[in-house]
Amino acid sequence: MSLALAQFNDLSQEVAVSQLLICCTSSAWANKLAYARPFADVDALLANSDAIWHDVQTNEANLLEAFDGHPQIGNVASLKEKYRNTQDSAAHEQSGANDAADDVLEALAKGNQDYLDKFGFIFIVFATGKSAAQMLDLLLARLPNDRATELANAAAEQNKITRLRLSKLLGNA
């Protein structure tokens, strides 16, 4: 459902929260952002979202609640489907992104499970425009981190994802 900002501003608190939970499943973030309405423009909404996310991410439970809203990338069959569908990519995209090799997909699935086992939450990354190999490189680079570092990394990535989803909700992406 795409809304105009004026429509979003006019929603009841309950309906606004339910729409925001589509963008990020942190109930603290969604409730605070819905309460902060009305917004003069999308930039004001995004700035408020950033500020509220910065505030609520200090509570690990809020982060984990947000992370739980993402599917785990770990099933090789679903990874194959996701990355094989890029064969008709635009000419400007790197040819390496056009066809993810089985070994890359299997390593990505294993890396995701290793990440979950180590940190207790799934690997969160702003995946838009990234190939399977790029995702694997990012995952492997972050896997040696400690949990506090990864909570911060995942929180930053979550915010990027949330901003994109907010823009889509309001028909701006």
Side-chain angles (χ1 to χ4, degrees):
M1 176 165 127
S2 180
L3 299 169
L5 182 60
Q7 291 173 305
F8 177 73
N9 283 336
D10 288 340
L11 294 175
S12 70
Q13 178 75 6
E14 181 181 338
V15 173
V17 168
S18 72
Q19 290 299 305
L20 291 171
L21 287 171
I22 294 168
C23 301
C24 175
T25 55
S26 166
S27 56
W29 169 84
N31 279 292
K32 289 180 180 193
L33 189 58
Y35 185 76
R37 294 171 304 143
F39 300 108
D41 54 37
V42 173
D43 289 339
L45 179 139
L46 293 173
N48 273 271
S49 173
D50 290 345
I52 291 167
W53 181 247
H54 184 266
D55 179 48
V56 302
Q57 74 177 351
T58 60
N59 180 321
E60 185 176 311
N62 291 334
L63 289 176
L64 297 178
E65 183 182 29
F67 301 164
D68 282 345
H70 296 276
Q72 182 182 2
I73 302 171
N75 179 294
V76 175
S78 67
L79 286 170
K80 283 182 181 181
E81 182 178 331
K82 175 179 174 62
Y83 287 107
R84 299 245 190 254
N85 287 337
T86 63
Q87 291 183 352
D88 295 327
S89 297
H92 69 278
E93 291 186 18
Q94 296 179 2
S95 61
N98 290 347
D99 193 28
D102 287 350
D103 62 333
V104 171
L105 297 178
E106 289 168 10
L108 189 55
K110 181 185 182 320
N112 272 289
Q113 187 59 53
D114 291 345
Y115 187 98
L116 177 62
D117 292 345
K118 179 176 181 178
F119 298 114
F121 56 91
I122 66 167
F123 178 64
I124 304 290
V125 66
F126 183 74
T128 301
K130 291 178 179 65
S131 69
Q134 290 169 320
M135 297 278 289
L136 178 60
D137 289 345
L138 290 168
L139 189 152
L140 294 175
R142 287 174 47 188
L143 199 52
N145 291 335
D146 61 36
R147 191 167 193 277
T149 300
E150 269 316 290
L151 280 168
N153 285 337
E157 295 297 302
Q158 174 67 53
N159 195 47
K160 292 176 194 174
I161 296 164
T162 300
R163 289 176 61 90
L164 177 64
R165 290 177 178 175
L166 282 170
S167 294
K168 287 181 178 180
L169 175 69
L170 298 171
N172 291 331

